[in-house]
Structure formats: structure tokens, C-alpha cells
Amino acid sequence: MLHGNSSQQFNLLHRRSVAMLAAGVFAFSWLALGVQTLPGVRGALSSTWNSAVARPAAARSEAGARLPALRLDSNAAAAAAYCGTGSSLVTLTESNGGTAVFEGGATDSYTVKLASAPSSSVEVTVGTNSQLSTLPLRLFFTTANWATAQTVTVTGVDDVVKEGLHTAAITHGTSSTDSTFNGLCVNDVTASITDNDSTAPVLVVQSAGATVVSEGGDTDGFTLVLGQVPGGPVTVTIGHAGGQFTLSTTTMFFTSLDYYLVRSVQVTAINDTVWEGAHSGVITFTVESDTLAYNGRVIPSITVAIVDNESGVRLEETGTDTVAIEGAHNSPDMYSVRLETQPTHPVTIAVNGGTQLHLRTVVAAPLIPVNVTSLTFTSSNWSVPQMVYVTGVDDAVVEGAHTQQISHLVDSADKFYDSDGFFGGVAITGWSTATVVLKQDFTPTLTADIDDNDVRVIVAETDGGTIVKEGVIGDSYSIRLAVPPTAFVSVGVGTTSNQITLSPASVGFDSTNWYIPKIISIVAVDDSVLESQHTAVITHRVQSTDPVFGGTGVNNIRLVVLDNDAINSPPSDFDGDGVSDRTVYRAVSGEWVVRRTSTGVGEVNVWGLAGSEEIPVPLDYDGDGKTDRAVFRPSTAQWFIFRSGSQLASVTTWGIADGGDLPAPGDFDGDGQADIAVYRRTTGQWFILLSRTKEVRVQLWGDSRPQYRIYEVPLPADYDGDTITDFVSIKVRLATGL
């Protein structure tokens, strides 16, 4: 009997020593790693975890079966923890109604006390498995402190096993010489454990649960924060592909001091000119850290929904803007309309210019109705531009320069191009907002500038237009009054552009000089910025006590500013994006086959006499920044040019018919417009017709030896980067003595 008791006591002491040693090792590791508790996590998680930890006994036993607990019971009677209803003599109280811990992070606790006074000391032992550690492992209650609650601290073991959210049971046993308290059945405490090896502690929250952006419109964003204190710095790299949107930041850096501070990322759509319909992009995340819990953590990607602001309808202005002049119905401005993709059904575009504009699809069409016209595209002509001719309504109101929006309402049985599910009053079969690829919630618009013909102050441009070039070309225009004033009239000039300077800043008129034009000089600011061709607007302000002139409206001056820091427009740039388009001219059919770099769309246009000897000479002859289709016919010395700016053709004879002249066009005066020119090999002369001033220049540049000129071919181009074409020729083959 003595031997049995000694053996039992030895086993008890041995188990207690092992438990205390394990607890001491864990406590040392905990302090050495410097793991901290999440600030405020206990309070923040209490409401969340109550329902999770209040598990029925069956669920706890199932969890215990998966992760068997190592019971550190004081004696065999302690196994009674598996009994049915726990004894009411030992009271367990969990903080906030449950126990929840984080691996390597937040701890939790509960208290233990006796329900009544014992007659002698009572020991309560605490046991758990490899998922948890508890301190202390033994609680002692006496006849004096039995009613004082003692705290047990619970910590999740920071292992490297991916387990997800899991649970573990904390068991209890009692021993005492008081038979009432010896070997009691005591309830378990089930702790919920958040795994830091499987759940992502990097929390990404999208606003309203999704990320949706619009081209040229609404932006959106998301937030990112770490879910637990890291053991070292954490870097989150945010990536995106496809070039459809930008991010306000692509790198975030967290430390143990600021890991809980929420960081925001703003998402903005790229406002391109390509019709894509509703499309999307993906945001990815890469996590790097010296901390095992974070390094390489996989964060789910975010899909960004992008709303396109193109309508599938391409509007192209002639030149840089659309200008409508009141009453000038014989010289309208124009713009073109076409579809971006081939439709499956006819597409009708209703064009509305309000009460300020006349809109026509044919130049000779009557001016009624004044504000509405209609365009129809089919699967055959969808890519062929249709012209809309624009003039101002000739009213009697003195308005000066003003504007008018031109809207385009698109309708079709093709769901790409429809907005309401009806076409011609008939419902479209199978139409719904869910199946429409692009829902037309907006209409493409174009703003027309209107010049008033009722103004009292007249501005007149020299040569019908105004163009300046940095450091090379200046220009001017004139101002005068339309009627004599009864008081002094001052006209101030100004611009919001920093690209030009004006002189003088104002001019004055009275009853003696009202009809004499005053000259305003314009000079381009010679900066060093690469800008290529750009525009500027000159505005006017009238002051006078004469009621006819006081505050009256004046038309604006719109001018082109050429850059001397950029090279000339590249050849075959038919879309004006600054990049040459792949182009083939087929002499046998007179066809121009072009694939535009801006859209990737191919197009075929006929401009030239099929089967003739015509030579293609594509350049920008009208200065709109786009290459014009042009051919030179040697037999007649005629230049046939289709100008992209006006969509009008011109025929100019320049050179000797069948005289052997070679076409050599280029921008020889640097005004941004290609000049017609030929090289005459018999004399070594270049004959140039300047496009803007119609001035004729003759330049001698060729081999001084006439017998060798027959081998020369002109290659005019801007070789020194001053944007002015240089005279260059090469010999197509070498001869003895060259």
C-alpha cells in the first residue's frame, strides 16, 4: 500500500514537472520573439467570437477527436472531465463569454474559483494539447481564498501548420483531502484559434464590395491593412496588367508599430480613345517579409470593372475644332462620323445641334430642318465616314463667339449599339440590360464654336488663317469697328495660352478712326518643350459708354502654334497620332491600304488612276497633323490631293508635263503644311510652291555636272531637326569618276 501510494505520488510529481518545464520553455520563447498582443483586439473580437466559441459538446468532442488533447490530470479521478454535467462546485468564467486566440498574436483568459468553502486545500490542474499553452498550470484554493477568482491565460501556439480556424479544449481536474472536492468532473474550456499560416492576415476591403471605375469619370478604391502584428517589416507590392487603369500607389510598407493603420489605394481608368465596351482589369498582390507568418502570403486578386466612355461611334473633326459661321451656308465646316465595329443590324444615329446650328449631310441640302439630321450605317458601310456639314443659324442677336453642343443618339437592333431595347418602335428580341454588351447611358457629343455675323467689332485674319512657329514665324490679325461709335471704344486682347504673346494688349477707336484696322502681332514663345503642333485661342473684351459697343460680343481668333523642338509629322500618319501607319499604295487599282496604329483597324480607299504611272506623295498638305492621300501624275504634271482636314480634293499643276520632273514635296518654310515641289534633273533646280502664301521658290541643288544629274533622286526631309525640310538628293548608281 505504501509502495502504491509512493508510486502514485511520483507519477503525479513527474507529470507536473514536465508541464512546468514545457510552460517555462514556451514563456522564454514568447519573450525572446517579442510577440505582442494586438491593441484592442480582445474588445474588437468579443462580439464576433461569442457565437463561434459557444459550441455544443458534440462539436467540441469532434474537434477533440481531430486534435487529441494531452491531459495533465493530477490523478486518475481527474479523467472525470469526460463525465456528463460538470460539477457546479468549480466555476469557470470566460472573458466576454468565450475564449479566442491568435497564433503568435492575441491571447485570452478565463477565471476559476470555487463555489463554496472547502474544508482543506483544493488543487485545480489545467491541461491542453499542442495547439495551446496555459499559465499557470496549477491553481490552489484554501479555506481563505476559495471565493477569489484566479486567472488562467491562454496562448495559441505559433506553429507552421496550415490549419485554418480551429479549436482546442482546455481540461481541468481537482485533487483534495476534502472528499467533496476531490476528483470532480469540471467543464472544459474550448478555445477558438485563428491560424496565421492559412488565413490571410492582410485584409483588403473594396468600397461597396466591388471596384468600378469609368474612363474619364468616376474613380474607385480599396483599403489594405495587416490583420495582426508582424514580427518584422512587411512589404505589399500591388500590381496590375493591361494598361487599362492606374493606381495611386503600388507599394505599401508596414512595421510592428503601424501595421494596424489602414492604407488607401485609388484606382483611375485610363481615358483612351478605343471602344472596348464594358471591360475589366486585375489587381494582384505580392507580400514579402522576414516574418514567416507573412512572407509569400497569398492574397486574392481584385477584378476592376471599367466603364467605357466611347460609344462605338467615332467622331473626327476636320482640323483641331469645328467652327460654324452664322449665315455662311456656302462654306460650312464639317466632321465625320463612322462606327468602330461592324454591326449585325442597321444603326441609326440621330444628330441634334440645338437651335444655334444648321446640320446637313449633303452640302447642297436645304436648311430645313435646321437642327436635326440622321445617319444610317449598315454591315457594309459601317467603316465609311459620313460627313455632317455645320453652319451657324443666321439670327439677329449680337452674341460674339459662342458654342453649341452637337449630340448623337445611337439606336439599333444590334445590342452593341442600342440603349432602350427598341428599334423602329419594335422590341428587340432577347434584349435586357444584362445581355447588352454596351449600354448607351450617354451619347457622344461634339462642341461647335460659332462665329457671330452680327458683331460690332470685326476681327480679320491675314490669309484667312493664323499660324505661328516658335522662333521662326510670327503672324498678325486686324481689329476694326463695324459702325461709328458715339464714345471711345477700347478692345482688349488676351489668351489663356502660355504659348503666345500679343502686342499691343489693347486698341482704341473713336468716331474718326473706327474703320481703320488696328494690327495685333502674335509671336510664339520659343520654349524647349517637345510639344509638336498645338493650338491657342485669342479672346477679346470691349469697353465703352456707347451702348452699342459696351460689353458687346466679339469673335475669337483660333491659331496653330508649330513647335521648333519636334520633327515634322511622320510620313503616312493618317490618324494623326504621331506614329506612321502601315501603308501600301496599289498602282494597279489606285487603292491605299492603311492599318492605323491608333486603332489597329485596316481601311482601303481609292485615290489615284488605276493602272497609271502615278507616284504616291502622301504628306500633310493642310496642316491638320494628319497625312493626306496624294499622287503626282508625271504625264500631266498634276498633283491630286485629298485633304483630310476639309475632306475635299484639289488638283494643282506643278511641273512640266512629261518633262521628267520628279516630285519632291516637303515643308520648306516650316509652317506645318507640306509644299508642292519638283526636282528638275536637267537643270538641278527645285521648284517649290509654298502652300500657305502661294509664294514660288527656286533652289539650285544638284550635281554641277549635267551628265551625272540623270542619276540623281531627290530625298527631301528634315535632317537637322529644325522642322524645315532640307534639300537632299542621292545618285541611284555610281559612274566612273563620280
Side-chain angles (χ1 to χ4, degrees):
M1 188 70 177
L2 179 62
H3 175 76
N5 289 337
S6 300
S7 177
Q8 183 180 12
Q9 291 175 359
F10 174 80
N11 290 337
L12 174 62
L13 291 172
H14 175 68
R15 287 195 297 271
R16 290 175 178 173
S17 299
V18 170
M20 293 178 67
L21 176 61
V25 170
F26 178 80
F28 173 79
S29 300
W30 183 264
L31 294 174
L33 291 174
V35 180
Q36 303 177 32
T37 300
L38 282 163
V41 163
R42 177 66 265 157
L45 290 178
S46 60
S47 60
T48 304
W49 286 106
N50 284 343
S51 60
V53 299
R55 298 177 182 270
R60 296 208 314 264
S61 24
E62 181 181 347
R66 181 166 56 89
L67 297 169
L70 172 63
R71 293 184 166 274
L72 301 177
D73 303 324
S74 61
N75 52 43
Y82 287 109
C83 61
T85 304
S87 173
S88 60
L89 293 177
V90 179
T91 302
L92 306 178
T93 304
E94 296 178 83
S95 58
N96 296 296
T99 300
V101 295
F102 285 78
E103 285 189 7
T107 63
D108 206 349
S109 64
Y110 64 95
T111 61
V112 182
K113 68 178 182 178
L114 303 185
S116 61
S119 60
S120 61
S121 297
V122 177
E123 179 185 11
V124 178
T125 58
V126 181
T128 184
N129 62 10
S130 61
Q131 298 293 318
L132 296 172
S133 68
T134 56
L135 286 175
L137 296 176
R138 296 184 302 164
L139 306 172
F140 296 95
F141 296 91
T142 66
T143 56
N145 73 347
W146 63 270
T148 302
Q150 298 186 39
T151 300
V152 177
T153 300
V154 183
T155 302
V157 174
D158 190 9
D159 56 29
V160 294
V161 182
K162 295 184 178 181
E163 303 154 299
L165 179 64
H166 53 293
T167 61
I170 304 171
T171 60
H172 307 85
T174 64
S175 63
S176 176
T177 57
D178 183 343
S179 59
T180 304
F181 286 91
N182 186 51
L184 292 178
C185 174
V186 181
N187 287 331
D188 293 347
V189 171
T190 301
S192 294
I193 307 169
T194 298
D195 187 14
N196 64 356
D197 302 295
S198 58
T199 57
V202 181
L203 308 177
V204 179
V205 179
Q206 302 178 75
S207 61
T211 302
V212 182
V213 296
S214 302
E215 291 185 5
D218 296 334
T219 62
D220 206 344
F222 59 91
T223 60
L224 190 148
V225 68
L226 301 193
Q228 68 183 51
V229 60
V234 177
T235 300
V236 180
T237 302
I238 308 172
H240 62 97
Q244 294 292 334
F245 56 88
T246 61
L247 303 173
S248 59
T249 183
T250 57
T251 304
M252 290 185 176
F253 187 74
F254 296 89
T255 69
S256 59
L257 299 177
D258 64 2
Y259 70 96
Y260 56 87
L261 297 179
V262 176
R263 318 292 175 85
S264 298
V265 180
Q266 198 72 10
V267 184
T268 304
I270 297 294
N271 190 14
D272 55 32
T273 59
V274 181
W275 183 45
E276 302 150 301
H279 52 296
S280 63
V282 176
I283 298 175
T284 59
F285 304 90
T286 303
V287 183
E288 296 178 289
S289 177
D290 293 334
T291 303
L292 180 63
Y294 277 100
N295 190 49
R297 179 55 47 86
V298 177
I299 304 175
S301 60
I302 292 177
T303 298
V304 179
I306 306 171
V307 179
D308 198 6
N309 64 351
E310 280 76 38
S311 63
V313 178
R314 177 176 288 272
L315 308 178
E316 292 190 349
E317 297 178 276
T318 54
T320 57
D321 49 21
T322 297
V323 180
I325 302 174
E326 287 189 6
H329 303 307
N330 293 326
S331 57
D333 202 345
M334 66 204 75
Y335 66 94
S336 66
V337 183
R338 68 175 178 86
L339 303 187
E340 296 278 9
T341 60
Q342 185 177 30
T344 59
H345 296 78
V347 177
T348 300
I349 301 178
V351 188
N352 191 317
T355 60
Q356 292 288 325
L357 297 174
H358 288 296
L359 302 178
R360 295 170 284 169
T361 55
V362 180
V363 175
L367 299 180
I368 298 175
V370 299
N371 62 341
V372 176
T373 190
S374 180
L375 308 173
T376 300
F377 293 90
T378 66
S379 59
S380 300
N381 73 342
W382 64 274
S383 63
V384 180
Q386 298 188 38
M387 305 306 300
V388 177
Y389 299 92
V390 185
T391 53
V393 172
D394 191 7
D395 55 30
V397 182
V398 180
E399 302 158 295
H402 53 296
T403 61
Q404 172 67 52
Q405 290 281 333
I406 305 175
S407 64
H408 305 78
L409 181 63
V410 186
D411 197 29
S412 176
D414 182 340
K415 288 180 285 188
F416 274 92
Y417 288 97
D418 193 71
S419 60
D420 56 5
F422 291 88
F423 182 62
V426 179
I428 300 173
T429 303
W431 190 98
S432 73
T433 55
T435 58
V436 173
V437 177
L438 173 66
K439 190 174 185 303
Q440 301 273 354
D441 291 329
F442 60 92
T443 59
T445 60
L446 181 148
T447 301
D449 296 325
I450 305 175
D451 282 349
D452 190 7
N453 64 350
D454 303 297
V455 291
R456 301 293 185 261
V457 178
I458 300 173
V459 294
E461 299 178 82
T462 55
D463 300 317
T466 303
I467 185 169
V468 293
K469 185 171 185 177
E470 295 179 5
V472 180
I473 300 172
D475 209 337
S476 63
Y477 70 99
S478 65
I479 302 176
R480 68 176 179 86
L481 304 187
V483 295
T486 59
F488 184 78
V489 177
S490 174
V491 181
V493 298
T495 180
T496 58
S497 172
N498 61 357
Q499 301 291 325
I500 59 173
T501 59
L502 306 170
S503 179
S506 65
V507 292
F509 300 91
D510 56 27
S511 59
T512 64
N513 68 352
W514 61 273
Y515 57 91
I516 301 175
K518 300 292 183 70
I519 304 300
I520 304 296
S521 297
I522 311 168
V523 176
V525 175
D526 190 7
D527 55 30
S528 57
V529 181
L530 184 64
E531 301 157 299
S532 190
Q533 179 175 304
H534 43 294
T535 59
V537 177
I538 301 174
T539 59
H540 306 84
R541 182 186 179 197
V542 181
Q543 292 179 302
S544 178
T545 57
D546 184 339
V548 174
F549 290 96
T552 187
V554 183
N555 291 326
N556 296 333
I557 295 291
R558 290 166 290 275
L559 66 150
V560 174
V561 183
L562 302 176
D563 189 15
N564 64 353
D565 303 294
I567 62 172
N568 286 323
S569 298
S572 300
D573 180 16
F574 291 91
D575 51 10
D577 65 351
V579 181
S580 294
D581 306 312
R582 293 192 293 274
T583 305
V584 174
Y585 175 68
R586 295 172 179 163
V588 67
S589 60
E591 292 177 314
W592 294 74
V593 184
V594 178
R595 181 175 294 278
R596 298 192 177 201
T597 56
S598 60
T599 62
V601 176
E603 60 183 37
V604 180
N605 294 283
V606 176
W607 187 253
L609 184 62
S612 70
E613 81 285 16
E614 290 175 342
I615 302 172
V617 284
L619 283 176
D620 181 11
Y621 290 91
D622 54 8
D624 66 348
K626 301 178 183 179
T627 297
D628 304 312
R629 297 190 298 274
V631 295
F632 172 70
R633 187 172 298 169
S635 61
T636 60
Q638 290 176 304
W639 295 70
F640 297 87
I641 302 172
F642 186 82
R643 301 176 186 272
S644 58
S646 63
Q647 296 289 297
L648 298 177
S650 66
V651 181
T652 303
T653 300
W654 191 253
I656 299 176
D658 259 341
D661 287 344
L662 298 178
D667 186 6
F668 292 96
D669 55 2
D671 66 352
Q673 297 175 241
D675 306 307
I676 294 174
V678 296
Y679 173 64
R680 188 162 297 160
R681 289 191 290 190
T682 57
T683 63
Q685 292 174 301
W686 298 64
F687 294 89
I688 303 165
L689 177 63
L690 298 181
S691 55
R692 187 167 65 95
T693 63
K694 305 307 177 186
E695 175 188 348
V696 176
R697 291 183 182 177
V698 180
Q699 177 71 42
L700 181 62
W701 185 256
D703 200 307
S704 60
R705 299 166 294 179
Q707 67 271 28
Y708 296 129
R709 293 195 194 120
I710 60 173
Y711 303 116
E712 290 186 328
V713 174
L715 288 179
D718 178 18
Y719 291 93
D720 55 8
D722 64 353
T723 71
I724 299 176
T725 298
D726 304 309
F727 299 95
V728 176
S729 63
I730 66 168
K731 294 179 175 62
V732 295
R733 70 182 180 88
L734 295 179
T736 303
L738 289 181

